[in-house]
Amino acid sequence: MKRVFVFCVFIIFVAANAASAQESTVSKGLALTPPMGWNTWNKFACNVSDELVRGMADAMVKSGMKDAGYQYVVIDDCWQVSRDEHGNIVADPQRFPQGIKALADYVHSLGLKFGIYSDAGEKTCAGRPAGLGHEYQDALTYASWGVDYLKYDWCNTLDGQDAKASYANIRRALDASGRPIVLSICEWGKHQPWFWGAEVGGNLWRTTDDIQDRWGGKQKWPDGGCCSNGVMSILDEQVELYSYAGPGHWNDPDMLEVGNGGMTTTEYRAHFSLWAMLAAPLIAGNDLRNMTPEIREILTNKEVIAVDQDPLGRQGRRVWKDGDLEVWAKQMQDGSRAVILLNRGASEQPITLSWEQIGYPGHLSAGVRDLWAHKDLGKFSGKFSAPVVSHGVVVVRVTP
Ligand code: GLA
């Protein structure tokens, strides 16, 4: 009798594992390089609509963003208004009169992918209905709409709600829908998701509080809560996280503010370059329908994007710092290094990169190419120096 019981337990165990192994293959192979796309939140917050998202998808194609590699068009918070009598999530009928599926179909018809937002708690951050207790139902709904990417937030969760278990649960629900859906974990780094995000099938996880369109510093929210971050304070929070990123699972220092008006063109170039160095998801957050040529040029710089998208999937790290001056380096698949010379200070300064900092012997002769000037600068031995303007970067690729 006892043996029969043990055998039954064994069979159940094997079957359960087989089922979960089967589920987990659904999302295998997603986000092998950091996801690239556009999201409504940074520029439009709750002002989302069918018209806006279609316009932005069109602009993504026309502006050259799609050609540069941007793919996901993501609606953030505020698309949802209620649940129907069966508990199904309902999109705002005024703002999305044709429903979400028709919008997703349109985005797909342009050769792009479609993403949406929900939250692991009882309500989203903007107070809309969220996912708690509806994970499997919502996952089926999203799959039936053709959703390819889900950003899952952490507002209004229950006291003591376990973050790792909650994100594991939504991943299982998404996989059970049968549709491969990128999972973007958004709990702002509160529970150190870099330790468990990959294990639960998260493809990217936010590492910080929300970004703000500002160069430096942290700022409190209007309600006194902490905090939103400028680009430099986010950067500082990434320094120790490089070992956790890799193909399929990325640190997410939040979406891009490039083009939203709060920083100079020089600062936006630095912001974009540093996000590429961090192998960060490149999710634009500006109005793509009316970009200046400078902003378009930043967002579509294919040589810098190639740093972000390098298939080796290494996150770059800070290899030298002296006050306001820093050197960051990223190992690339072909053995070359992408390097950023960053000047956080108020005046122009020369910065020297030494080969030792990037793991090359001093005598090695290597070609240096400037990825913003799109110019080969020649062969150098041992080191390379360049003047770097205030709040600026020089980005080079060093190839032995
Ligand atoms: C949180 C997230 C943001 C955005 C808003 C939406 O603050 O961190 O990225 O999704 O919620 O309400």
Side-chain angles (χ1 to χ4, degrees):
M1 186 62 192
K2 197 171 161 207
R3 262 210 215 139
V4 172
F5 175 75
V6 170
F7 181 71
C8 288
V9 169
F10 177 72
I11 293 295
I12 291 168
F13 178 77
V14 170
N17 271 326
S20 74
Q22 209 177 13
E23 280 167 16
S24 68
T25 61
V26 171
S27 48
K28 254 214 163 92
L30 290 174
L32 293 179
T33 60
M36 293 176 64
W38 179 85
N39 173 301
T40 50
W41 185 255
N42 281 357
K43 173 80 184 173
F44 298 96
C46 269
N47 263 322
V48 293
S49 68
D50 181 279
E51 194 193 344
L52 176 82
V53 177
R54 281 177 197 248
M56 222 56 75
D58 290 339
M60 196 182 267
V61 176
K62 283 198 202 111
S63 63
M65 298 270 291
K66 181 185 173 207
D67 282 346
Y70 295 83
Q71 200 181 14
Y72 295 97
V73 178
V74 183
I75 315 180
D76 208 282
D77 209 345
C78 303
W79 62 268
Q80 61 288 71
V81 281
S82 58
R83 290 194 179 271
D84 69 15
E85 70 274 23
H86 305 295
N88 296 312
I89 191 92
V90 176
D92 186 329
Q94 256 91 51
R95 288 174 176 267
F96 297 93
Q98 300 177 52
I100 301 293
K101 179 164 186 336
L103 179 54
D105 287 348
Y106 182 73
V107 170
H108 289 147
S109 76
L110 300 176
L112 298 168
K113 294 194 164 173
F114 180 74
I116 212 161
Y117 162 102
S118 189
D119 179 293
E122 291 179 314
K123 284 190 159 59
T124 70
C125 297
R128 303 303 176 94
L132 189 63
H134 292 273
E135 293 84 358
Y136 281 75
Q137 184 177 20
D138 286 350
L140 283 178
T141 304
Y142 299 153
S144 76
W145 289 344
V147 166
D148 305 298
Y149 180 114
L150 176 67
K151 174 175 170 183
Y152 216 54
D153 217 332
W154 190 249
C155 279
N156 303 304
T157 45
L158 305 179
D159 281 347
Q161 188 173 330
D162 186 297
K164 181 177 174 186
S166 300
Y167 285 102
N169 194 29
I170 189 65
R171 165 48 80 203
R172 280 192 297 271
L174 293 173
D175 285 356
S177 79
R179 188 172 174 87
I181 297 177
V182 170
L183 175 60
S184 158
I185 295 176
C186 179
E187 54 73 83
W188 327 301
K190 291 282 179 281
H191 307 86
Q192 302 179 300
W194 42 90
F195 289 133
W196 48 263
E199 191 192 323
V200 302
N203 300 109
L204 55 155
W205 49 82
R206 280 274 297 279
T207 55
T208 68
D209 292 307
D210 289 10
I211 193 170
Q212 274 220 331
D213 189 10
R214 236 190 13 253
W215 178 251
K218 272 187 183 287
Q219 219 166 55
K220 296 225 163 181
W221 290 112
D223 66 5
C226 193
C227 285
S228 67
N229 291 291
V231 163
M232 286 299 106
S233 71
I234 290 192
L235 184 68
D236 286 333
E237 293 181 54
Q238 312 311 305
V239 172
E240 304 297 333
L241 300 182
Y242 57 88
S243 64
Y244 302 105
H249 52 96
W250 309 99
N251 289 307
D252 174 9
D254 206 358
M255 303 174 288
L256 298 165
E257 290 284 9
V258 176
N260 280 335
M263 287 182 261
T264 64
T265 304
T266 299
E267 291 170 339
Y268 281 140
R269 209 174 282 129
H271 170 26
F272 190 73
S273 307
L274 287 160
W275 262 230
M277 172 59 52
L278 294 170
L282 296 179
I283 310 290
N286 59 318
D287 192 340
L288 306 179
R289 298 166 304 186
N290 51 28
M291 287 187 276
T292 63
E294 292 78 26
I295 294 301
R296 188 181 160 283
E297 196 230 326
I298 292 173
L299 288 170
T300 59
N301 181 330
K302 290 187 182 169
E303 293 194 75
V304 173
I305 290 172
V307 173
D308 182 76
Q309 295 289 303
D310 185 69
L312 187 61
R314 289 283 169 86
Q315 176 170 328
R317 62 193 186 95
R318 190 160 69 192
V319 295
W320 179 82
K321 178 172 174 68
D322 182 10
D324 288 330
L325 310 181
E326 299 180 7
V327 175
W328 288 72
K330 183 181 197 282
Q331 190 183 339
M332 305 286 279
Q333 192 177 44
D334 66 359
S336 69
R337 306 284 190 265
V339 178
I340 293 184
L341 314 180
L342 166 67
N343 176 6
R344 299 175 176 227
S347 58
E348 182 173 306
Q349 298 275 347
I351 300 181
T352 300
L353 147 74
S354 79
W355 274 201
E356 279 84 6
Q357 288 163 356
I358 55 174
Y360 291 160
H363 64 267
L364 193 76
S365 163
V368 174
R369 180 171 173 82
D370 185 321
L371 304 189
W372 283 107
H374 304 295
K375 221 170 108 189
D376 289 325
L377 303 179
K379 291 254 177 203
F380 294 79
S381 287
K383 62 183 183 195
F384 167 77
S385 297
V388 187
V389 297
S390 163
H391 294 187
V393 289
V394 168
V395 185
V396 292
R397 191 153 169 172
V398 185
T399 311

